[in-house]
Amino acid sequence: MSKLIETIDLVTNFYTHEGVVKALDKVSLCVDHGCTFGLVGESGCGKSVTVRSMMRIIQEPGKIDGGKVLFYPGNNGSETAIDLLQQSEATMKALRGDKISMIFQEPNSALNPIMSIGEQVAESFLFHRKKEMSQQILMDMDASISKANPLKSILKALYRLAATRPEALILKLFSKTPLLKSWENRLHKEAMRRAVEIIAKLSIPHAQDIARRYPHNLSGGMKQRIVIAIALACNPLLLIADEATSNLDVTIQAQILDLLKDLKQKVISSVLLITHDLGIVAETCDRVGVMYAGNLCEVADVKDLFSEPRHPYTRALLNAVPRFAHEGELESIEGNVPNLVNPPSGCRFHPRCRDAKSICKDAFPESTKVGNNHQVACFLYTEKSREKS
Amino acid sequence: MQKIIELKNLKKHYPVLGGVFRRQVDAVKALDGIDLDIYRGECLGLVGESGCGKTTTGKAIVRLHKPTEGKIVFYPSEEGTTAGTDIAKIPLNALKQLGIRSKLQMVFQDPTTSLNPRMLIKNIIAEPLKAQHLFRGRALEDRVMELLNLVGLTKDHYLRYPHEFSGGQRQRIAVARAIATNPDFLILDEPTSALDVSVQAQILNLLHGLQLKLNLTYLFVTHHLLVVKYISHRLAVMYLGKIVEIAKTGDIFSHPHHPYTHALLSGIPVPDVEHKQQRIVLKGDVPSPLNPPPACRFHTRCPFVIDRCKTHEPILEDIGNGHRVACHRQAEVEKLVHDRFGKRSSDNKAI
Amino acid sequence: MNKKQHPRIRELKFTLSRIFRNPSAIIGFSLLFVFVTVAVLAPYIAPPKYAHNPYLMPHKGYSQTPKPPSSKNIFGTTSGQYDIFYGAVWGTRTAFKIGMFVIGVALIIGVCLGIISGYYGGIIDEIIMRVVDIIFAVPLLVLTMAIVVAFGRGLDKVMIALALVKWRDYVRVMRSSILTLRELDYVQAARVMGVSNFTIMRKHILPNGIYPVLVMASMDIGSMVIVAAFMSFIGLGAPKGYADWGQMVALARNYIVGPVDDPLKYWHAIAIPGACIVLFVLAWNLIGDALRDAFDPKQRRR
C-alpha cells in the first residue's frame, strides 16, 4: 500500500504561563491509502494535537516546533510529497475540506445555528468546487439554448468570464446587477442540488426536507451525520474523525459507526480515527497507533495489537477496559497521567510501568520493529537494554 | 433482604411555559412512573441513554428537585423499624432535622465542576461535616484526614486547591466528601464517565472497596453497561422515563428479555478483533420526552414491533428470579434476536 | 512551586503575578500609588490654612482673573485667587472619598440584591429585576440630578444620590453570573450535603461570581469622579472654594480661552485640575482592564 499522509518527528509545544507544555514529542506515524488508522490514548495524550498539527490548526499558544508532515496527493506512488508545514496558509485553506477534511466531537459547535443545513453543506461546494460547478452550468446552458439569440449569447459570454476569470474588472462593475446575480443564483442552486445529493447519500431520509431545516431542529445523531456530510462533500482523500462519536448515546453511536463503515467501502479512501475507546478501534480500524503523554508508544495492525500487545502501556490499557466475558476486579494502571510541563525523564510511561528498568528513566526509547508492520517504543524490545541486562 | 429506598410511581414533569402569561402549556416527562426497590447493601445499576431520566431519578432521591408525583420511602437502618419515611414531599429543613440528609449522599459526574475551585481540599471535605454539625475543631481535622486516607490520598493533599489534581484524584475527593457524614446510601451519577480508562478502573475498585468496608448501598447511574457490570448486583434499564427491564446483573447480560436491552448490549463496541458480531442497529432517534410515543414507548424503534405494542402499554412483570421485564413479546425476544441478528455478543465467552 | 507556603498565599501570588504581567496594570497601579501617596500626605504637602475645614482652599484676594504660577503659588491661582496646588492635593482626597463611597455603597446593595435575585429566582427575582428596570429607564445623570435637587445641593448629597442610582448596574451583572453558577455541580453538591442557603451564597456563589462585578466597579470608580465633577461643574455639587477638581474646573470655566492675543494665558486654571481628573480615571480604567484579563475564566488554569 502507498502512503497518503505521514508525520516525521512532529514536535508541538504549548507556551503557557506555567511553562512549556510538551504536547507532542517526536511523533511519527503514517496513514496509507485506503486504510483506517485509529489513534487511541487517554485525554491529554496528544492525539488531538497530532491531527491538529497535521492540519495546521493548532491554536495559540501552541506552536509546531519541528518535524514534517508529508502529504502524498497522488493516487499511486509517493513521487509527489508535499510538506504541509511548509505550505502557505492559502494552500492549506484550499486543502482543508477538499483533500483532507475533519469532523469534530461536538456537532453543536460545528454547525452554524442560523444557517440552514443545506446552505452549510453547499458552502463547502461553493468554496472548493466553484470552477467545476461553473463548467457544468455552462455546459447545461449550451445544451438548453442552441438557437442563436444575441442577448443570451452576451449573457453566456459574461457567465463564461465569471467562470474562468472571477477577478475580471468588468465583473466587479456588474457585480450588483441582476445579470450577475442570476449567475450567483445558478451557482447556489447547483451547490444546493449537490448538497441534497450528498445528504441523501448518507442514508438520511427526506434529504430535501432536512436541507431546509436548521440545526436546532435536528437530534445529536442527525447533526453528526450532517457534519459528516459536510466533510465528505468534496470527496476527500482523508477524513479525520476526532472523537466523532464519543458524545453520542450507545444506540446512536452504533448508527454512526455503521454509517462510517459503509461509507468507507463506497466513498472515502482513508480515515484517521481518533478515539479513546478501544472497542471502536477494534471494530473499525485496520491499523492502530497508541499514544501516551505526547509519545507514540506502539503502532501495529489491529489484529496484532489486540492479540499481541507489546508495549506495557498498551497491555495495561487493554486490561483496564471493561469486557463482557471478564470476571472479578478490573485491573487499573496505578498513578496518574503526568503533567506535560515537566514530563518524566526518559520513557514518559516509566513511573507507572510495571516492567520499568533503570534505563527507562534515563533514555528515550526509539521506535523498533518487532514484527510484521509492528513498531514499539520500549526498551523491552531494543538491543540496548539487552546489552545492559 | 431489607429495603432502604422504595420508589412508588415516581414522576417528574418539567413544565413547559408558553404564551404571554407564562402558563404551562406542556410538560417534559422526564420520569413517568418509576417503581423501584433498593435493598440495603446492594449496588443497583441504573442504565439508559441520555434523556431517559436516570439522573433525574437519582436527583429526586436526594431531593435536588421535588418530584411531581409519587413516593420516595426511606427506611432508616435501626433494627426492627419497618416504618419508612416518605421524603418525596417533606420540606428540606425537615429532611435535615430528621437526620436523613446525612444518610443520602451523591457523587457527581464531572469532578472538575463538582468541586468549588476556590476552596481548599480540607474545606471541601469538611463542608458536609460542618453543615450537619457533626464534628468541630481538632476532631473535624482528624476526620478529614481519615477520609483522605480512606480514598487513597495523603496528608500532602490536605492543603491544596482542586486544580492541582488530576481528574481521578478529584473524583476521589468528591467521594471522600460524599462519605464524610457516614451515609447509608450513595447515588453515583456517572462517576467514571468523565475519567480515562486507566483511571476509571481505580475509581471503580475504590468504590467497590468502600462499599464493603462501610456497608454502603449504591445507586450507580450510568450509560455504560460494561462499567456497571463490575460493581452492581442488579441492573435496571431505563428508556424514556420508564424502567423496561430489571434483573440481576448476570441475568441481564446472559438472558436479556427486552429488545432495548439487547440493542444496548450489542451497541457497545467490543475491544476484540476476532469477534465480529452482528450489531442490532436501532433505527431513528430517541423520541422527545415532550410527547413520548403512546403505549410501549419503544415501539417506534423496536425491530420486533407488533400491533399490540402500539395500543397496549406493557407492564413490568416478574418472570421469575426477580427478573422483571416490560415487553409484550418478552418470551420470544431471545429467539427473535437470534434469528434476525445472529449470535449475541455475550454468548461469546472465548474472549 | 514551594510547598511550604500556605496555599492561599501561593494562590494570591499567582493572581498577582497574572495581574502584573500586564503592562497596563503596572501603569495603572503606579498612577494609583502616586494618588494614594498624595492623598495620605496631603496635610504635609499642602498644610491646611483653616484647621476646622482643611478642604476649604485658601485664597488671597477676590480677583476674578487667574494668576500664572509663581513662587508663592506654584500652580498659580484660579478665579477667586484660590491656590490650585492646594486644590489639586486635597482634591485627591475628595476624589477617593467620592469613588470609594459611591462604589462601595452601590456594590453592597447591588451584589446583595443580585445574589438574592439570581439564587432564589421566581417571584423575588421578578420583583427586584422589574424595580431595576424602572430605575434603568431614567438616565444616570438625570436621576442623580433629580435626587440632588430633592435633597439639596452639596457634595455629600451628590455622593448619596450616585450610590442610590449606580447599584442598578451591579444587580444585573451579578445576577447573570449567578444564574450560570447556580446550576453548577458544586452548588448542587452543597445542597445535597445540607448546607444552608446563606452559606452556599457566601462560600460558593459569592467568591466565584463576584469578579465581573469587581472589574466593573474598579472602572466605575474613575467614572464616578467624572460624574461628581460634572455635578460640581453645574453647581449642584461642592460649594465654591471646596477642594474638588470638578469645582475647580467650574471656577475656571470663564477662562478656558484667554484674551485674543494670548489664548493660552490661563491654561493652568483649567489644565491642572483637568489633568488630575483624566489621570485618576485613567488609572482606574487601566486597573480594571488588567483585572478583567487576570480574572478571565478562559485563561484560568485548570
Side-chain angles (χ1 to χ4, degrees):
Chain A
M1 270 198 283
S2 58
K3 290 173 180 174
L4 174 63
I5 194 164
E6 150 173 64
T7 68
I8 300 171
D9 290 342
L10 197 60
V11 179
T12 299
N13 294 326
F14 284 80
Y15 295 88
T16 64
H17 181 51
E18 290 128 78
V20 182
V21 178
K22 298 160 193 87
L24 287 189
D25 189 18
K26 295 197 173 175
V27 171
S28 305
L29 57 85
C30 177
V31 182
D32 291 333
H33 270 286
C35 160
T36 305
F37 191 97
L39 203 53
V40 270
E42 298 174 276
S43 56
C45 72
K47 47 193 196 305
S48 278
V49 179
T50 309
V51 292
R52 275 160 204 265
S53 303
M54 285 160 79
M55 298 282 278
R56 299 239 321 261
I57 47 172
I58 288 285
Q59 276 164 352
E60 281 289 311
K63 218 175 135 230
I64 304 170
D65 280 346
K68 281 180 183 167
V69 178
L70 298 178
F71 182 54
Y72 304 88
N75 243 338
N76 44 347
S78 42
E79 73 284 357
T80 48
I82 49 172
D83 185 356
L84 295 185
L85 299 184
Q86 308 297 331
Q87 302 303 311
S88 67
E89 189 53 39
T91 325
M92 286 308 292
K93 258 191 190 149
L95 212 64
R96 289 181 207 129
D98 183 9
K99 293 270 170 55
I100 308 174
S101 52
M102 223 174 150
I103 45 182
F104 296 96
Q105 179 170 3
E106 205 27 84
N108 286 328
S109 48
L111 294 176
N112 184 344
I114 57 162
M115 271 169 86
S116 78
I117 296 296
E119 281 172 48
Q120 301 194 41
V121 183
E123 218 182 19
S124 169
F125 289 113
L126 285 173
F127 190 77
H128 293 292
R129 291 283 181 272
K130 210 163 188 172
K131 221 167 217 172
E132 193 190 310
M133 288 197 304
S134 330
Q135 296 302 340
Q136 197 188 335
I137 297 170
L138 286 174
M139 260 158 62
D140 289 354
M141 277 178 75
D142 283 342
S144 62
I145 38 165
S146 47
K147 292 276 179 325
N149 179 335
L151 201 75
K152 286 266 160 118
S153 52
I154 292 173
L155 205 61
K156 225 164 68 187
L158 197 64
Y159 287 175
R160 182 149 288 139
L161 193 65
T164 47
R165 288 179 51 214
E167 73 282 4
L169 183 69
I170 183 157
L171 293 176
K172 292 215 169 105
L173 291 174
F174 280 104
S175 65
K176 288 287 176 277
T177 59
L179 282 180
L180 270 185
K181 274 275 173 260
S182 78
W183 168 249
E184 297 270 303
N185 288 344
R186 271 167 203 261
L187 267 178
H188 261 275
K189 230 175 167 178
E190 171 66 15
M192 277 302 255
R193 193 187 60 74
R194 290 181 176 213
V196 172
E197 206 170 79
I198 191 103
I199 293 173
K201 220 178 191 173
L202 297 192
S203 52
I204 298 172
H206 318 296
Q208 281 282 2
D209 179 44
I210 293 279
R212 257 181 262 123
R213 293 212 212 165
Y214 287 83
H216 66 91
N217 295 128
L218 304 179
S219 65
M222 197 59 97
K223 274 185 232 169
Q224 196 59 286
R225 276 164 202 252
I226 299 299
V227 173
I228 295 176
I230 295 174
L232 294 184
C234 298
N235 284 324
L237 289 171
L238 177 68
L239 177 75
I240 300 176
D242 187 353
E243 300 272 11
T245 59
S246 38
N247 258 8
L248 303 173
D249 280 318
V250 183
T251 57
I252 308 296
Q253 170 174 298
Q255 292 175 357
I256 298 286
L257 286 180
D258 256 33
L259 176 72
L260 273 179
K261 253 192 231 170
D262 191 40
L263 289 170
K264 179 75 195 5
Q265 283 165 357
K266 292 184 202 156
V267 194
I268 330 165
S269 72
S270 314
V271 180
L272 177 51
L273 195 80
I274 299 170
T275 179
H276 63 272
D277 190 336
L278 282 163
I280 293 178
V281 171
E283 292 197 2
T284 51
C285 298
D286 306 323
R287 252 177 102 69
V288 195
V290 182
M291 287 193 75
Y292 179 80
N295 291 136
L296 195 64
C297 315
E298 184 164 7
V299 186
D301 285 345
V302 96
K303 275 191 182 137
D304 298 340
L305 190 98
F306 281 89
S307 59
E308 256 188 288
R310 298 298 182 95
H311 199 281
Y313 176 65
T314 318
R315 284 190 206 154
L317 200 62
L318 279 168
N319 281 335
V321 178
R323 288 158 191 262
F324 279 106
H326 186 266
E327 296 291 334
E329 286 227 324
L330 207 52
E331 272 183 57
S332 63
I333 309 178
E334 289 308 314
N336 294 293
V337 181
N339 180 353
L340 292 183
V341 176
N342 318 299
S345 61
C347 172
R348 287 182 179 182
F349 186 58
H350 84 259
R352 301 174 76 185
C353 184
R354 277 183 202 163
D355 307 313
K357 291 182 278 188
S358 60
I359 185 172
C360 300
K361 218 183 248 179
D362 307 326
F364 180 78
E366 292 296 324
S367 180
T368 32
K369 218 168 176 183
V370 289
N372 193 20
N373 273 331
H374 196 146
Q375 286 187 315
V376 182
C378 179
F379 283 115
L380 288 176
Y381 306 98
T382 56
E383 291 298 322
K384 236 194 219 162
S385 69
R386 258 173 239 146
E387 277 164 29
K388 269 209 170 178
S389 61
Chain B
M1 267 195 291
Q2 208 188 353
K3 277 183 210 166
I4 180 163
I5 288 276
E6 187 178 359
L7 308 181
K8 283 183 188 163
N9 192 27
L10 192 69
K11 286 187 184 175
K12 176 69 188 174
H13 293 183
Y14 290 100
V16 176
L17 303 177
V20 184
F21 298 104
R22 318 268 297 143
R23 293 242 178 87
Q24 183 177 343
V25 290
D26 211 338
V28 175
K29 297 163 191 75
L31 279 185
D32 215 4
I34 298 271
D35 292 293
L36 194 61
D37 296 339
I38 304 169
Y39 298 101
R40 197 165 277 281
E42 77 167 343
C43 172
L44 177 71
L46 196 57
V47 190
E49 293 178 286
S50 57
C52 74
K54 53 192 193 308
T55 301
T56 316
T57 312
K59 288 191 172 171
I61 295 175
V62 289
R63 279 298 304 279
L64 270 175
H65 59 72
K66 200 171 184 175
T68 318
E69 214 183 300
K71 280 183 179 168
I72 303 168
V73 186
F74 173 72
Y75 297 93
S77 63
E78 284 80 31
E79 290 296 321
T81 49
T82 45
T85 327
D86 180 10
I87 56 170
K89 290 274 153 64
I90 63 172
L92 293 177
N93 285 343
L95 200 64
K96 198 168 161 182
Q97 275 156 18
L98 286 170
I100 298 176
R101 188 44 112 191
S102 61
K103 297 290 167 197
L104 304 175
Q105 284 297 318
M106 180 157 175
V107 176
F108 289 80
Q109 173 174 6
D110 188 353
T112 49
T113 59
S114 69
L115 306 177
N116 185 342
R118 293 189 194 279
M119 271 167 88
L120 291 170
I121 299 307
K122 74 164 189 184
N123 294 336
I124 288 176
I125 298 181
E127 195 176 19
L129 299 169
K130 279 186 199 157
Q132 310 279 350
H133 311 290
L134 292 175
F135 293 89
R136 54 180 56 197
R138 191 79 216 159
L140 182 73
E141 251 172 58
D142 291 345
R143 172 71 179 154
V144 172
M145 285 309 301
E146 185 193 334
L147 287 164
L148 274 178
N149 290 333
L150 260 180
V151 297
L153 295 173
T154 59
K155 208 174 170 199
D156 286 353
H157 303 119
Y158 187 65
L159 280 179
R160 297 242 193 132
Y161 282 99
H163 64 76
E164 297 172 61
F165 292 89
S166 68
Q169 286 172 317
R170 280 185 225 185
Q171 197 60 292
R172 282 171 194 268
I173 294 162
V175 170
R177 178 177 66 180
I179 60 172
T181 54
N182 273 325
D184 291 342
F185 185 75
L186 265 191
I187 288 158
L188 308 168
D189 185 8
E190 308 243 14
T192 61
S193 58
L195 306 175
D196 284 316
V197 188
S198 70
V199 184
Q200 165 176 301
Q202 291 177 7
I203 298 293
L204 281 178
N205 294 342
L206 170 75
L207 287 170
H208 191 60
L210 285 176
Q211 180 173 30
L212 299 177
K213 207 184 279 177
L214 305 174
N215 198 14
L216 293 165
T217 309
Y218 288 157
L219 178 68
F220 198 110
V221 175
T222 182
H223 67 276
H224 200 313
L225 266 167
L226 282 181
V227 168
V228 78
K229 165 181 180 256
Y230 288 89
I231 183 165
S232 70
H233 305 101
R234 288 195 304 150
L235 271 182
V237 181
M238 282 185 80
Y239 186 76
L240 266 183
K242 288 256 183 199
I243 292 182
V244 294
E245 183 162 11
I246 176 164
K248 292 212 176 75
T249 307
D251 290 347
I252 287 267
F253 279 87
S254 57
H255 298 290
H257 280 266
H258 200 281
Y260 180 63
T261 317
H262 275 278
L264 271 186
L265 281 170
S266 79
I268 304 168
V270 183
D272 189 75
V273 208
E274 304 304 322
H275 151 100
K276 299 267 181 199
Q277 116 258 2
Q278 195 63 37
R279 172 179 287 154
I280 307 175
V281 176
L282 295 177
K283 274 182 244 103
D285 291 306
V286 183
S288 155
L290 203 57
N291 36 38
C296 176
R297 302 190 160 197
F298 188 54
H299 84 248
T300 51
R301 300 173 77 198
C302 184
F304 315 118
V305 61
I306 51 173
D307 287 343
R308 194 173 148 74
C309 304
K310 296 174 188 168
T311 51
H312 291 76
E313 183 167 357
I315 49 161
L316 203 61
E317 54 187 337
D318 203 321
I319 58 165
N321 201 14
H323 196 141
R324 292 161 69 194
V325 192
C327 179
H328 291 307
R329 307 185 76 182
Q330 51 90 3
E332 359 164 33
V333 164
E334 207 154 359
K335 194 174 165 298
L336 285 168
V337 171
H338 196 282
D339 291 350
R340 174 112 43 117
F341 298 101
K343 232 173 157 189
R344 275 231 352 274
S345 53
S346 53
D347 295 343
N348 193 345
K349 293 275 181 193
I351 309 169
Chain C
M1 242 180 249
N2 186 356
K3 270 189 187 153
K4 289 204 179 81
Q5 272 177 341
H6 192 275
R8 286 201 197 284
I9 296 170
R10 207 169 60 218
E11 199 69 0
L12 188 72
K13 266 190 173 171
F14 175 72
T15 312
L16 286 181
S17 79
R18 287 178 56 111
I19 292 174
F20 285 102
R21 231 181 338 155
N22 196 337
S24 75
I26 298 168
I27 302 173
F29 277 105
S30 350
L31 273 174
L32 186 68
F33 178 74
V34 172
F35 278 117
V36 169
T37 320
V38 169
V40 169
L41 299 181
Y44 303 99
I45 299 174
K49 197 177 172 194
Y50 316 106
H52 63 282
N53 188 0
Y55 286 100
L56 217 54
M57 288 191 282
H59 64 120
K60 275 197 177 140
Y62 294 91
S63 162
Q64 286 297 313
T65 351
K67 287 210 180 103
S70 63
S71 59
K72 216 171 181 191
N73 308 101
I74 51 171
F75 284 170
T77 59
T78 185
S79 177
Q81 298 313 309
Y82 293 105
D83 182 21
I84 293 182
F85 177 72
Y86 188 90
V89 171
W90 284 85
T92 316
R93 281 195 168 192
T94 316
F96 274 111
K97 257 191 350 197
I98 296 169
M100 295 300 176
F101 176 81
V102 172
I103 297 303
V105 173
L107 256 186
I108 293 170
I109 304 177
V111 167
C112 289
L113 287 180
I115 290 186
I116 292 169
S117 169
Y119 184 76
Y120 286 106
I123 189 83
I124 301 174
D125 179 35
E126 205 68 23
I127 292 171
I128 293 177
M129 291 324 288
R130 291 304 79 79
V131 171
V132 171
D133 284 348
I134 291 167
I135 301 176
F136 252 109
V138 188
L140 175 83
L141 282 179
V142 175
L143 193 56
T144 317
M145 278 193 269
I147 297 175
V148 172
V149 168
F151 282 173
R153 60 174 284 192
L155 197 64
D156 45 347
K157 312 289 192 321
V158 169
M159 276 154 57
I160 294 170
L162 278 174
L164 287 183
V165 180
K166 197 60 196 167
W167 61 271
R168 59 187 192 178
D169 297 333
Y170 305 133
V171 176
R172 280 198 175 170
V173 175
M174 194 68 202
R175 174 175 172 270
S176 67
S177 76
I178 301 298
L179 284 183
T180 50
L181 280 175
R182 189 175 65 169
E183 298 305 320
L184 282 186
D185 278 351
Y186 59 82
V187 177
Q188 304 236 335
R191 256 183 239 169
V192 173
M193 291 181 288
V195 181
S196 67
N197 281 333
F198 179 71
T199 318
I200 292 183
M201 284 191 246
R202 188 169 56 88
K203 273 195 158 167
H204 294 281
I205 288 187
L206 189 66
N208 286 292
I210 200 164
Y211 292 97
V213 177
L214 281 188
V215 170
M216 212 175 139
S218 68
M219 292 192 165
D220 280 344
I221 290 180
S223 63
M224 281 307 100
V225 172
I226 291 195
V227 176
F230 171 80
M231 299 305 269
S232 297
F233 189 83
I234 60 171
L236 286 176
K240 195 176 176 191
Y242 195 87
D244 171 60
W245 296 333
Q247 207 271 135
M248 288 160 73
V249 174
L251 276 177
R253 86 180 100 185
N254 292 333
Y255 300 93
I256 294 172
V257 183
V260 185
D261 52 331
D262 187 8
L264 292 179
K265 190 174 178 194
Y266 307 122
W267 65 273
H268 57 276
I270 196 88
I272 290 168
C276 288
I277 297 178
V278 168
L279 288 177
F280 192 78
V281 174
L282 182 71
W284 284 106
N285 274 356
L286 290 175
I287 291 168
D289 243 9
L291 289 185
R292 176 164 49 205
D293 290 351
F295 294 146
D296 186 357
K298 268 186 216 145
Q299 288 184 7
R300 215 188 138 69
R301 58 181 170 180
R302 279 167 295 144

